[in-house]
DNA sequence: CAGTGGTCTAGACCACCAC
DNA sequence: TGGTGGTCTAGACCACTGC
């Protein structure tokens, strides 16, 4: 590796390490040499190596196991096709596990909380909950091969969910919660999603087992019923390096469009 | 500010600085105290303050002007509504400047390159260009109030674009390039977008005036004509903290769907 | 217990900015 | 020319891992 003075050393080192990962010098799932070894090999201080690794961690290329070493991630992104995932609900489980099981990965869902809550202001606004109206919340974390892939917190206006026991159970039954909403006369017919990127907060870092600099998608998924009333808001928080989001739509310029 | 031993100091400092920004102690557009001043005030070394600021930079809360100081960003996200931006093309300019002009921001587009090229492999694959077929490329950078907001590189199969002079000019004429494609018999009727997040490479950092740790959206927007042939691929690279992406669609489970 | 990464420091030199 | 952030170092102590 040639060190040129124009670029910061830690960036050159990051580039070099990325190249070695691409060339399988360091293979997926295995550990890199320790920071001290790399520092000795490259003739820099350990702090500089650490700073280079900070970049690789922010891009999701490596992951640190504390006390054990720095490991190469095996990162193949999961495709999340917005239309298909909800269309697939008639085939079995809810939308939550569609992508993962399709990739022959082992899927698991942990329910953190199911119950009646006073929703956050922004969520209440989206659901058009006036005053102090409550919502049913379903908080869960989804895993693929025991790696957390997303947090999904779902809110349903309480006056809609009220009386439907299935929605209070982890397994909401065949077709998932949307099928229950349909039975309650509020079947979703239209969806919107707002997508943002940001850094995770403390709780998200813990739940998703990621670091502060690894960006996450935050998706606000809203389902509307035939009367155009919002009947569910699901907030997804997903490590950005794990996912590709796909959307598709037809041109509405020529036909009569809603807008 | 209380320092508790359990959390790293640089994280506590980052939290404190974020709080001060939220409370307008440091106002948008103004500079923070220098790293040395903050270090003295908080009783830590300058390196520790610098590390805290690294976090604020990665989340887009502050921006460094080298030699001058660290400034609070005035960050209000721009809404990019996928359907509307393309539907709006009949009203005037192309889709590129829809969101920005709608916010009363001054919009500007710099064309970096317009010409015939051999497209990158992945782009050629999306456009189904066999062998060594060329494409027309239109590379541009868009600005709002002189701040770069996105890179947009558009590829059109050369055999479609061939002979249309307007597509070789910066101003592709009324309705933008999609109207030209329509005149050529390849008007787009369907779109797909694949959305990824990643860290920017060197060139993107320069063009967008952002740092290595600030994540970007990469959107592959593909337009299909009535025969379902891909007629344009536009690759957008956009600083993640500047944008909210919006998509909406109708449920297709009950009606006869394409899928 | 040895090895790993996490953090922090004091001091240093540099390029860049504004005056 | 003085102040700013960018970078780098050597050394230190810590918590955690795995043997």
């Amino acid at each position: 590796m040639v060190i040129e003075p124009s670029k910061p050393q830690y960036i050159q080192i990051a580039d070099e390490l990325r190249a070695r990962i691409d060339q399988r010098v360091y293979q997926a799932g295995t550990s890199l040499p320790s920071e001290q070894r790399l520092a000795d090999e490259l003739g820099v201080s350990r702090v500089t190596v650490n700073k280079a690794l900070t970049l690789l961690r922010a891009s999701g290329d490596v992951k640190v196991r504390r006390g054990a070493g720095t490991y190469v991630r095996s990162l193949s992104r999961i495709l999340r096709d917005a239309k298909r995932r909800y269309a697939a609900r008639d085939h079995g489980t809810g939308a939550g596990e569609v992508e993962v099981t399709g990739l022959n990965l082992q899927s698991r869902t942990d329910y953190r909380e199911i119950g009646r809550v006073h929703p956050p202001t922004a969520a209440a606004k989206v659901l058009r909950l006036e005053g102090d109206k409550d919502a049913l919340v379903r908080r869960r974390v989804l895993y693929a091969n025991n790696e957390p892939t997303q947090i999904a917190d779902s809110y349903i206006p309480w006056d809609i969910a009220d009386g439907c026991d299935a929605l209070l159970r982890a397994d909401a039954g065949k077709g998932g919660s949307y099928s229950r909403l349909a039975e309650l006369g509020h079947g979703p017919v239209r969806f919107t999603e707002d997508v943002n990127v940001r850094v995770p907060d403390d709780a998200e870092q813990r739940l998703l087992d990621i670091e502060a600099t690894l960006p996450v998608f935050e998706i606000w998924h809203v389902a509307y019923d035939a009367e155009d009333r919002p009947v569910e808001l699901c907030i997804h928080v997903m490590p950005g390096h794990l996912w590709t989001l796909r959307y598709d739509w037809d041109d509405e310029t020529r036909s009569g469009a809603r807008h």
Side-chain angles (χ1 to χ4, degrees), chain A residues 7-232:
Chain A
K7 256 184 164 184
Q9 296 181 44
Y10 75 93
I11 292 183
Q12 295 180 54
I13 291 170
D15 291 345
E16 170 69 15
L17 294 178
R18 259 195 265 260
R20 291 185 185 176
I21 290 173
D22 286 344
Q23 295 160 19
R24 315 288 164 127
V25 180
Y26 307 140
Q27 310 222 348
T30 67
S31 71
L32 269 57
S34 74
E35 294 185 352
Q36 191 56 62
R37 273 181 200 282
L38 285 170
D40 293 345
E41 181 209 333
L42 300 167
V44 298
S45 76
R46 204 197 109 201
V47 180
T48 303
V49 172
N50 182 274
K51 202 168 178 188
L53 287 173
T54 296
L55 295 181
L56 295 210
R57 283 157 33 190
S59 57
D61 292 315
V62 302
K63 171 172 175 170
V64 167
R65 290 216 284 270
R66 300 216 10 196
T70 304
Y71 289 78
V72 180
R73 282 213 196 240
S74 42
L75 66 94
S76 56
R77 293 186 187 244
I78 309 171
L79 179 64
R80 176 188 186 273
D81 188 319
K83 264 190 189 171
R84 289 193 197 196
R85 74 193 305 271
Y86 296 103
R89 67 178 183 271
D90 283 350
H91 303 323
T93 62
E97 304 184 342
V98 176
E99 299 91 357
V100 169
T101 49
L103 287 172
N104 284 329
L105 302 178
Q106 191 159 29
S107 171
R108 180 164 63 85
T109 303
D110 269 9
Y111 279 82
R112 299 165 52 216
E113 181 188 359
I114 302 180
R116 180 177 182 166
V117 296
H118 192 59
T121 314
K125 193 178 167 198
V126 167
L127 291 174
R128 296 183 208 145
L129 295 179
E130 317 285 335
D132 274 349
K133 288 205 179 159
D134 283 344
L136 167 69
V137 72
R138 299 167 60 87
R139 294 185 206 282
R140 49 205 193 275
V141 179
L142 282 78
Y143 300 79
N145 286 359
N146 277 326
E147 299 251 6
T149 55
Q150 63 172 305
I151 302 167
D153 291 350
S154 173
Y155 297 88
I156 298 172
W158 184 259
D159 67 281
I160 291 179
D162 197 10
C164 178
D165 283 345
L167 287 174
L168 286 165
R169 285 192 289 267
D171 182 354
K174 180 163 163 36
S177 53
Y178 282 180
S179 298
R180 299 297 82 70
L181 284 173
E183 292 160 9
L184 293 164
H186 293 282
V189 301
R190 184 171 75 86
F191 307 99
T192 70
E193 292 197 348
D194 281 6
V195 183
N196 282 307
V197 192
R198 57 172 177 77
V199 288
D201 65 27
D202 288 358
E204 291 160 350
Q205 288 169 45
R206 250 181 294 112
L207 287 171
L208 295 174
D209 190 23
I210 57 176
E211 305 175 65
T213 52
L214 220 170
V216 293
F217 281 118
E218 176 177 302
I219 302 178
W220 284 47
H221 172 93
V222 186
Y224 296 84
D225 68 9
E227 269 114 46
D228 226 34
R229 173 178 176 187
V231 293
E232 191 227 24

